[in-house]
Amino acid sequence: MPPRVSNWGWTPAGRRRYLLILLWMGHGAWVLVGPRPGHLWSRLAGRLARPAEGLASRWEAWRTGRQDRARSLAQLQAENAALRAQVAALQMAEAQQAPRVAEAGEALKLLGLRQQIPLALVGARVIFSTRPEAFGGLILAGGRDRGFVPDQGVIAPGGVVGRLWSVGATQSKVLPADAPNASVGVMLARSRATGVLQGLGGGRALIRYLSNQEVVQVGEAVYTSGLDQVFPRGLLVGYVTDVEKGELELRVTVQLAAPLDRLHFVLVLPPQPPLEVQPPLLPQTAPAPASPRRTP
Amino acid sequence: MTRPAPSPLRQDLFCALALALVFLCAPFPRLQAVIHVVLVLALAPRPGAALRTALWAAAGGWALEGAARLYPHMGGTPWADMTVALLAAWIAGRWPVESWRGWLLRLAGLLLLQTALVHGAVRLASGPHPWGTGWAWALATAPAWAWAVWHLLGPVAPPRRP
């Protein structure tokens, strides 16, 4: 039987045992001593805990920043949604008001044209257009009830439109100037040569009865001559787009100035207007005083 | 059936990791309490290595108190941790666990004992103080960390005697 080795000698196992007992009893004694000598250790522990404290503060700052960012992002998203709804509503309102705005702009232009021509012009709304069809025209709101008679000239701010072709009780049909059976007495701007405009369709017309000796340039303006007793002299009809010499006469093609396919309002001239009308003079304004008078 | 004991190096590495987590989890007191319990009750105890067990347990206790910094006189937690860890190591050497259920029940009992001992030691060192809820969190999460330690280390077996 081997001799029993004592664990309490100065052997490695014994030294570990002594160290363990010292450790355990030292802690126990330290606990029993109480809180009086603990300030230094608390200070040391505080220093040792600084990394963890810094980590905790950084973590808290990161959380706070994230919450702030999330809150601001949510607010921006809500604001964006509200602004999108407002923009959509405004676009809808603008789309609803666009035809009225266009008509208002056209009415303003008609008003300006009416002030430039010293004749009893009557405004009329275009309620329907059959222009895309062959021999199509414009239907005006107004007929005999407004005193319209056939062969009254019809103009727009852009230029000559045509003439009243047939007049009903409450509606009238306009024969546009580019219709094949339409004719308007015209005059070239530079040479003052006169002819008769005959429609070709599609907003174009041909000037007939112009001599080969006339000099006509492309881009030249064409005005009414007043000889047809439908339009007074000097109303814009269109611009020359092509000139060809024929055997007896020039073939002058004209692009009408009035947008015949986009008319909402027109002005109807009085029947058999005078050959030539003069635009009214601008009203003279009183001269401004040299120095403003001061009130006491 | 007795599971083989893990290598001391592996156990020390897990103890060191748990000790670092005790420091790093200072902003989360409940999680810190759970990791401290894991270190003291499940990772540190090793039969036949009482000094190593006591050192790791004391380190865990000092780490917890050092990170908490709430006590006017520290030292109660490390002393209680050493005591419970030495007791756990002696129990593991005397009655090795053979099943997962026994392992869990033993940890739960040691946890309650450690809670009471820590409270009493801190009361001796620093005076009256509230119980706190760290022990409850440790007890509630015991199945999770006990299962993890069971698979990482396996319950410690008695030392082989030549």
Side-chain angles (χ1 to χ4, degrees), chain B residues 41-57:
Chain B
L41 300 184
L43 294 176
R46 182 178 181 86
L51 183 59
R52 189 193 302 258
T53 300
L55 286 174
W56 279 121

Side-chain angles (χ1 to χ4, degrees), chain B residues 85-106:
Chain B
L86 289 172
L87 179 63
W90 179 76
I91 291 176
R94 182 67 178 83
W95 296 288
V97 292
E98 296 179 352
S99 66
W100 150 253
R101 187 176 180 183
W103 166 247
L104 185 60
L105 290 176
R106 179 178 297 184

Side-chain angles (χ1 to χ4, degrees), chain B residues 4 7 16 42 58 80-81 91 95 98 117 130 142 147 154 158 162:
Chain B
S7 67
D81 287 345
I91 291 176
W95 296 288
E98 296 179 352
L117 202 57
W147 179 88

Side-chain angles (χ1 to χ4, degrees), chain A residues 32-57:
Chain A
L32 292 176
V33 164
R36 279 172 296 183
H39 300 292
L40 294 177
W41 293 99
S42 297
R43 191 177 301 169
L44 177 62
R47 289 178 181 174
L48 292 177
R50 278 181 185 171
E53 189 179 359
L55 183 65
S57 63

Side-chain angles (χ1 to χ4, degrees), chain A residues 16 19-20 23-24 27-28 30-39 41-42 45-46 48-49 52-53 55-56 59, chain B residues 23-24 26-28 50-51 54-55 58 62 66-67 69 71-76 78-79 82-83 86 121 124-125:
Chain A
R16 282 197 296 271
L19 183 59
L20 175 63
L23 191 66
W24 188 80
H27 272 81
W30 177 260
V31 168
L32 292 176
V33 164
R36 279 172 296 183
H39 300 292
W41 293 99
S42 297
L48 292 177
E53 189 179 359
L55 183 65
W59 166 260
Chain B
F23 275 111
L24 293 177
F28 318 103
L51 183 59
L55 286 174
W62 281 110
R69 302 190 328 277
Y71 307 139
H73 182 68
M74 295 187 293
W79 181 78
M82 275 195 300
T83 305
L86 289 172
L124 278 177

